Amino acid sequence: MLLRSNALAILVMLALLLLWEAYCRMSGVTPLVLPAPSDVLRSLYLNAHEISGHALATIGVAALGFSMSVTFAFLTSIALHFTPTLERAFIPVFVVSQTIPLVALAPLMILWFGFGVLPKMLLVILVTFFPILLSLLSGYRQAPRDFLDLMASMGAGRLQRFRRVTLPSARPAFFAGLRISATYAIVATIFAEYAGARSGIGIYILQAKNNFRADLVLSAVVVSAVLTLALLGFLRLIEWWTDPETRRRRHAPA
Amino acid sequence: MLLRSNALAILVMLALLLLWEAYCRMSGVTPLVLPAPSDVLRSLYLNAHEISGHALATIGVAALGFSMSVTFAFLTSIALHFTPTLERAFIPVFVVSQTIPLVALAPLMILWFGFGVLPKMLLVILVTFFPILLSLLSGYRQAPRDFLDLMASMGAGRLQRFRRVTLPSARPAFFAGLRISATYAIVATIFAEYAGARSGIGIYILQAKNNFRADLVLSAVVVSAVLTLALLGFLRLIEWWTDPETRRRRHAPA
Amino acid sequence: MLRLEDLEVRVADTLLLGPISLELRENQVTCLIGPSGCGKTSVIKWMAGILPPEMKASGTLTLDGTPVERHDRFLSYQPQSDALFPWLTIGENVCLGLEVAGMSRGEAWAKAAPLFEPFGLKGTEHLFPRQLSGGMRQRAAFLRTIVQDSRYILLDEPFSALDAVTKIRMQEWLVSRLEADPRGVLMVTHDLHEASRIADRLLVMSSRPGRIMADLPINLPRGQRSETALADLREHLKTLLLEDET
Amino acid sequence: MLRLEDLEVRVADTLLLGPISLELRENQVTCLIGPSGCGKTSVIKWMAGILPPEMKASGTLTLDGTPVERHDRFLSYQPQSDALFPWLTIGENVCLGLEVAGMSRGEAWAKAAPLFEPFGLKGTEHLFPRQLSGGMRQRAAFLRTIVQDSRYILLDEPFSALDAVTKIRMQEWLVSRLEADPRGVLMVTHDLHEASRIADRLLVMSSRPGRIMADLPINLPRGQRSETALADLREHLKTLLLEDET
Amino acid sequence: QDKPEEAKDLQKVSVALDWMLNTNHVGIIVARDKGFYAENGLDVEVLPYSDTNSAALLASGSTEFGYVATLAYLSARASSPDLTALWVTMQHETGRLVYNSDNEAIKRPADLSGKTYAGFGSNWEKALISTMIRTDGGEPVWDTVTLNTGAYEALAVGRVDFTLEVATWEGVNGELLGRKQSWFNYADYGVPDQQNGYIATTTKMLNEQPDTVKAFMQATLKGYEFAADNPAEAAEIMLAAGDFPNPELVRGSLKLISEGKFLRDGDTPVGKIDPARFAGMVKFLAENEVLKDKDGNVLKDPGDVSSWYNEDWRKE
Ligand SMILES: Nc1ncnc2c1ncn2[C@@H]1O[C@H](COP(=O)(O)OP(=O)(O)OP(=O)(O)O)[C@@H](O)[C@H]1O
Ligand SMILES: Nc1ncnc2c1ncn2[C@@H]1O[C@H](COP(=O)(O)OP(=O)(O)OP(=O)(O)O)[C@@H](O)[C@H]1O
Ligand SMILES: [Mg+2]
Ligand SMILES: [Mg+2]
């Protein structure tokens, strides 16, 4: 199904790859500058074992950072939702935080927080936290006034109203924000690794580059794209799985 | 007005800066590792002339790249809007393009396209194009069916319907997407410069880092934030200025 | 008997409505009718205890002579939309009020289940709201209101989103439901045809600031309310409403 | 005279409505009434030439005996919402149809300007739609339709979004406007009270697949259409509509 | 890698590197993997490469020892007395200025005037290149494009005219790829000859734990001596220690380091800092206004620099 709905897009991408391959063969450009897709795939295959080790490290950091980010965004969103003053005080601060160039920050983070997982996680959080937070807050605002009124008229308190109305209303917006953030989670992790790490796709890219292997750099790019798409697919699955209708279909007696 | 509505946020930021300053003074941490805000400000002042030269270069590239990006996004959005097949074929390609780690791509881009403005512009476009395109397409979809029907019943063709209904309907979504993209335009430029350039904030950061001047790195961060906020403010101004109601108020006889 | 006395609602010193006094009798349907913006919804929200904080109200509410503390104990409110939560099944939606009041899901379901049949909702228990027609949704919303066993029920334009034919059907259905299980009802509407078909008593509000400008009992049994029999009353209402707003 | 013959509309082999034949006379108001989903909007959209492509229609439309090519030349369509563009002033909205038909802004304005007074819209020319009340918006939408000088006008539930009091006012206003400037009107509604108050002729559609199940002329002059005078007709319509949908 | 049984008794210290793991670091890796550190009671962690300067990492206290590039060390020491050098790896300058052999326009440094240079964003490059051009009689003006490691590909495809390289790494790579490149040595054109690649520690560490410093440095010395004497074996140890997508580069590099007498030159002890060349380099940098003091002002007169390094660990 996924394949069918994207068949056209896959064709386009194949066409682009073919063009690229053709260009490399015709122009005779050195693979040091522009390796052909076939070179990249071959290198990917030959170095699969090594790359997958690095990929695992990246997945670990990205998963940790991203889930921390989601957790923080969720907690923050609740705090800001219940105290509009906080929202007015902090949203601009978060906006400003998005204007900081990571290239400047990443080396300093290593200096401040060492070589462990912490600085990398912080960078992933810095990149992914704000879009999730914003989408949660805008999701909360989509809770219909009438639904809240109805709950209040039944004698429900703030917390119950939040849990039973505001939160479910924010579901679609939340997942939309999650998807946007997830697109950048892997890339941010790679970037953070690039600034300093023992292993990970970022380190692999750096090694490949310092050893003058453009083909391996591009192999790592392919892996990064695959990881991101996998993460997006995984989120789709969670979204589908936690959908009230899916849940009901699983449990319903009929 | 801008000041008043953000007064709380400004207070919070000042408080954070004060905390940081206090920490630096109390802990006696070396400015090599963590310069105090006052150090940063002083360095910014002392090096204002040099930094502003670099800032100008960055502004130039960012402005060029961003306006190209907006132009391309607009043209692409029209093409995709009028041919849904193209949309199905290309949107996934653009999604995949967002999963490419810039750290890997940037040095290669410099290699492929030289160290002129071109590779930097391409990177800025890569980062900012897709959010604008998506917001335009979703904006187009917000054109009310009834409005389009009405135009059709009056005998308006596809182009006229697009110009008079679809385009104005997409205005709010377009500006929302523009703001998101603009947040990343300056950062992306700096990143691109970092990979290779003659001058620009990115180069300044690199130099400051290589010369062990954390204070100058952070000065550059401040400049980058200010530039981004200025760009956002500028977009707000354009949005206000092109608002039909503002325009009418200017021209209306009454 | 539920008495509301001297209700006044203001926003930032502008009087939106009042002073209004009215009383609801048990087992009687009162319709509150008036032009748009006169404050019908505000009256009903105040009674349900959910007036938004920016609207300042003064007035008293007494139940059989004693002032009221917790509205949710004896009043059920049904908002202008059907307000069925799209992420819950009809069954879960119907049990909502009972669960909020503290029942377990099992208890709530035991209480609600037998009512699906008489409400014509048999078989919809596991469906989601979007799978129901407008009329069925309205019945489900009403079931959710009724199942809470409140003595008084506040309905805000329950049928205004329905098309004319479904509306007529639902009006007849509501009347028969209330005959089977009588409650004290305050129903807001701006449709004079609807009000005259359903009400035991009609309260007509003036345009903003809303006051009650007529209190008309309708003694005709509902079975006999043909278009012809109601024609005079409607003409009178029309005159009242059209005259007021100039 | 505009004749529609043997219209049938299908979506993927399901018959949505038809076969339907009907005719509109010049200077006469025809109301098309029927339950929700019976296909009223589809009939009107087909006549306006804007049926969505997934709906396949067969049928002919003839104007005074000759088949019709360009609908926009003699038909004006007003959608179910008022469809005033929020980014244009009322003045610009009203000129829209004229500009689309090829007039310059100046010409269009010269033609539209004198009509603001009789439509009760004087002073709103430079306002935006959101600054107008519901009734005024509806009048502006109607002005935009009328100014195109089409011989036939198609109105899709023009008053369904208005509250009851405003609705009655607007119905009276529409009747008086059409008396001053008569056109052939086909108005869709599902409100039988509204239809009986406005129409010269009533077409009643059955539920899906919609067919015309009654064609009722109303000969009573509009000035004499009191609730009492219309009561019998309404009772009849109600019976027709309620019986159909079972 | 494989730690001895009594690992828990070992003192943990770490060493930060100046760049991706490469053959400059060979002695440290050999000492670690052949157990020299463990013999001296140390469990040494080689910190992964980071974009963060190793001098800054030292100053921040993130690590006990740092392998610091020459310029990085001298610049950091000029602005902060917290660091002290213990060792210098390369007895001769490994850096050189390269250009493509087929570039007809370049015959001598004076020809570099007006050409395009692929740079790395440090202050010293300017001092270096202008000195070379001026000494050769040219006018020191050129166009700088800061490219970082992209510089070598840019040179290879002719997008820039010249850049700086490390003979024992990029130079070897160029040769492996059969690139036709020529070079000028800095010292031939007015730049004082220098040693390359310091190992430094914090002054505090040196004062408080001289024994640890001694243990670490003596094992390190043993590692480098081994590498100098057994380049082929050292290459295999390096290859086993890290991911090197291009093993020939490592082998070739170590071969060159050995053959070029970069580590062991005559009877000079391996890693010995030469006071004269050290002072000469500082003077050169100060004159060219490369160094800044702790307030960010240009350091014109560094004064006596003998306290900038300390080789007491060599004493028995
Ligand atoms: N938050 C608010 N602030 C200021 N004015 C308000 C607010 N909410 C409602 N109003 C005004 O209060 C008046 C009464 O509103 P209310 O919703 O009670 O009227 P209504 O009779 O229910 O109208 P409708 O028939 O349109 O539902 C209206 O004129 C409205 O404009
Ligand atoms: N694009 C479509 N595809 C399939 N069915 C459609 C589509 N559009 C409308 N329909 C169906 O066609 C029928 C007629 O729709 P139409 O809008 O003409 O009804 P209507 O009488 O105007 O209803 P209402 O009173 O609700 O406006 C409906 O049953 C509707 O569900
Ligand atoms: Mg209301
Ligand atoms: Mg319709």
Side-chain angles (χ1 to χ4, degrees), chain E residues 118-155:
Chain E
F120 306 85
S122 68
N123 287 346
W124 112 284
E125 300 161 34
K126 198 168 159 220
L128 176 86
I129 296 167
S130 54
T131 302
M132 290 178 75
I133 297 180
R134 215 182 302 109
T135 306
D136 197 44
E139 197 189 341
V141 286
W142 67 90
D143 183 22
T144 299
V145 188
T146 308
L147 286 182
N148 252 328
T149 45
Y152 305 105
E153 275 77 13
L155 178 66

Side-chain angles (χ1 to χ4, degrees), chain C residues 51-90:
Chain C
L51 209 60
E54 70 269 22
M55 298 179 109
K56 304 288 171 219
S58 63
T60 56
L61 192 64
T62 53
L63 181 65
D64 301 331
T66 52
V68 159
E69 298 270 315
R70 292 271 314 255
H71 301 241
D72 56 292
R73 289 276 176 270
F74 61 94
L75 268 179
S76 284
Y77 160 79
Q78 182 172 330
Q80 197 152 347
S81 73
D82 58 38
L84 292 172
F85 297 0
W87 53 85
L88 299 181
T89 60
I90 298 300

Side-chain angles (χ1 to χ4, degrees), chain D residues 26-94:
Chain D
E26 251 166 295
N27 309 344
Q28 179 183 305
V29 179
T30 308
C31 275
L32 188 61
I33 182 171
S36 179
C38 71
K40 305 181 293 294
T41 298
S42 304
V43 169
I44 234 178
K45 283 199 174 173
W46 181 77
M47 292 177 76
I50 53 172
L51 208 59
E54 70 270 22
M55 297 177 110
K56 304 288 170 220
S58 64
T60 56
L61 191 65
T62 52
L63 181 64
D64 302 329
T66 52
V68 158
E69 298 270 315
R70 292 271 315 251
H71 301 243
D72 55 292
R73 290 276 176 269
F74 60 95
L75 268 179
S76 284
Y77 160 79
Q78 183 172 329
Q80 197 153 347
S81 73
D82 58 37
L84 292 172
F85 297 179
W87 53 85
L88 299 181
T89 61
I90 297 299
E92 291 165 331
N93 265 296
V94 166

